[in-house]
Amino acid sequence: PGLWCALLAATTRPAARPVGRALQRLQAAHWHGASGARDRARGREPVLASAQSLEALAHDLQLGMILSPGNAKIKLMRRLGSRRQRERSGMILLEGHRLVADAIEAGVRPEVLLLTEEATQAPEGARLLAALAADAALAACASLAPQDLVHGLSDTLTPQGVLAMLPEPSLPVPPAASLVLILDRVSDPGNLGTLLRSAAGAGADAVLLLDGCTDAWGLKALRAGMGAQFRMPMKSGQTWAEARSQLEAWGCHAVKADAGGQLSHSQVHCRKRLCLRQSAGGAAQNPSPGV
């Protein structure tokens, strides 16, 4: 009977599919690799979509699949956590349904868009799926991937399963400006993103980031900016001399936000062309009064 059962199992067991073998290798890499150690430290168990459901979903949505952590695109996305690598490659990484959808709606086209099966089923996923259905070129950039692979690229404790890699957008500063924000040595990415979002909400025409500011395209700054980076013309790495030259070309006069200042913000004449300068504390690039 034992031999008969073994023969019956051998004849009825389906042949191993390439997708299944790739997922088995990925699962083994999770438990023995760095991503597995990181997930276990967070108290999170791996949840891998089965080969059949992932492949069926990819077929239904007409999307590609990426299964291997050794894929060249995955390797590049993993390196984009470093500012030096972002500047060297000219690429940035976005994470989350809303941020990726905001970028697409702002006209920014990802080169790679990764989605997990769970991300497509989330309520927020409908917006992204609608964009993919309406744009065949965008859908061609999108791929489904196992949850563990996508979460390994995330820097959050609760990843949403949506990642995009795209060239760093560059919006030219306008020839004329009436409201400008200058950021001086703002080193906290959350603060910088919040200031960019506030500038966009106030209708600023441009933002100048002086030397010493943190990277506006890091994941933390992007999350805090909530899409402001895709709509706000910015110049980074400016010296004060360069910024002042630009202000003169615009005809803007500068005021500096200072907790110890004697003039209330309500007393500032905002109908003129105005530049607001926000420093993070400490010695500013140009400590002279009035600017």
Side-chain angles (χ1 to χ4, degrees), residues 35-81:
S35 64
R38 182 168 60 250
D39 280 355
R40 291 194 297 276
R42 295 173 176 174
R44 188 172 66 212
E45 293 296 323
V47 180
L48 294 176
S50 69
Q52 291 78 14
S53 64
L54 198 64
E55 188 175 28
L57 183 62
H59 180 268
D60 291 343
L61 298 178
Q62 298 184 351
L63 301 179
M65 294 177 65
I66 294 180
L67 300 175
S68 172
N71 182 280
K73 296 175 181 177
I74 298 299
K75 289 182 177 180
L76 177 56
M77 294 174 79
R78 188 175 293 115
R79 292 196 298 268
L80 293 180

Side-chain angles (χ1 to χ4, degrees), residues 31-255:
W31 285 112
H32 299 291
S35 64
R38 182 168 60 250
D39 280 355
R40 291 194 297 276
R42 295 173 176 174
R44 188 172 66 212
E45 293 296 323
V47 180
L48 294 176
S50 69
Q52 291 78 14
S53 64
L54 198 64
E55 188 175 28
L57 183 62
H59 180 268
D60 291 343
L61 298 178
Q62 298 184 351
L63 301 179
M65 294 177 65
I66 294 180
L67 300 175
S68 172
N71 182 280
K73 296 175 181 177
I74 298 299
K75 289 182 177 180
L76 177 56
M77 294 174 79
R78 188 175 293 115
R79 292 196 298 268
L80 293 180
S82 161
R83 179 175 186 172
R84 178 179 298 180
Q85 290 295 334
R86 289 195 295 271
E87 292 174 346
R88 181 179 298 175
S89 66
M91 307 295 289
I92 63 171
L93 194 64
L94 306 182
E95 181 179 2
H97 291 92
R98 178 172 180 173
L99 189 58
V100 173
D102 283 347
I104 292 172
E105 291 175 3
V108 182
R109 178 60 54 82
E111 288 194 4
V112 180
L113 174 58
L114 288 184
L115 300 165
T116 64
E117 182 176 2
E118 293 75 15
T120 64
Q121 297 168 353
E124 302 86 350
R127 185 178 171 195
L128 272 178
L129 292 180
L132 293 175
D135 189 337
L138 177 63
C141 304
S143 298
L144 288 174
Q147 185 184 84
D148 192 58
L149 180 59
V150 178
H151 285 192
L153 300 171
S154 171
D155 70 342
T156 64
L157 291 176
T158 55
Q160 297 182 23
V162 180
L163 286 166
M165 180 176 69
L166 60 151
E168 180 181 312
S170 178
L171 296 178
V173 296
S178 58
L179 179 60
V180 178
L181 176 64
I182 292 184
L183 300 181
D184 186 1
R185 302 190 186 186
V186 178
S187 58
D188 183 89
N191 289 345
L192 186 137
T194 299
L195 287 165
L196 292 176
R197 188 175 77 242
S198 300
D205 299 300
V207 176
L208 306 181
L209 291 85
L210 302 188
D211 285 332
C213 282
T214 189
D215 185 12
W217 299 105
L219 279 174
K220 291 182 180 178
L222 284 164
R223 281 195 294 269
M226 297 178 66
Q229 284 91 327
F230 305 118
R231 297 177 172 86
M232 177 62 61
M234 298 186 296
K235 270 190 175 182
S236 300
Q238 298 276 288
T239 64
W240 172 246
E242 291 169 333
R244 184 168 53 190
S245 176
Q246 181 66 72
L247 293 178
E248 290 173 354
W250 281 328
C252 290
H253 74 282
V255 295

Side-chain angles (χ1 to χ4, degrees), residues 233-285:
M234 298 186 296
K235 270 190 175 182
S236 300
Q238 298 276 288
T239 64
W240 172 246
E242 291 169 333
R244 184 168 53 190
S245 176
Q246 181 66 72
L247 293 178
E248 290 173 354
W250 281 328
C252 290
H253 74 282
V255 295
K256 179 181 175 182
D258 189 342
Q262 298 179 354
L263 186 67
S264 169
H265 71 280
S266 61
Q267 297 175 285
V268 178
H269 186 18
C270 294
R271 292 190 178 183
K272 296 181 179 179
R273 293 180 178 178
L274 178 68
C275 164
L276 175 63
R277 180 176 177 185
Q278 175 66 55
S279 299
Q285 284 200 36

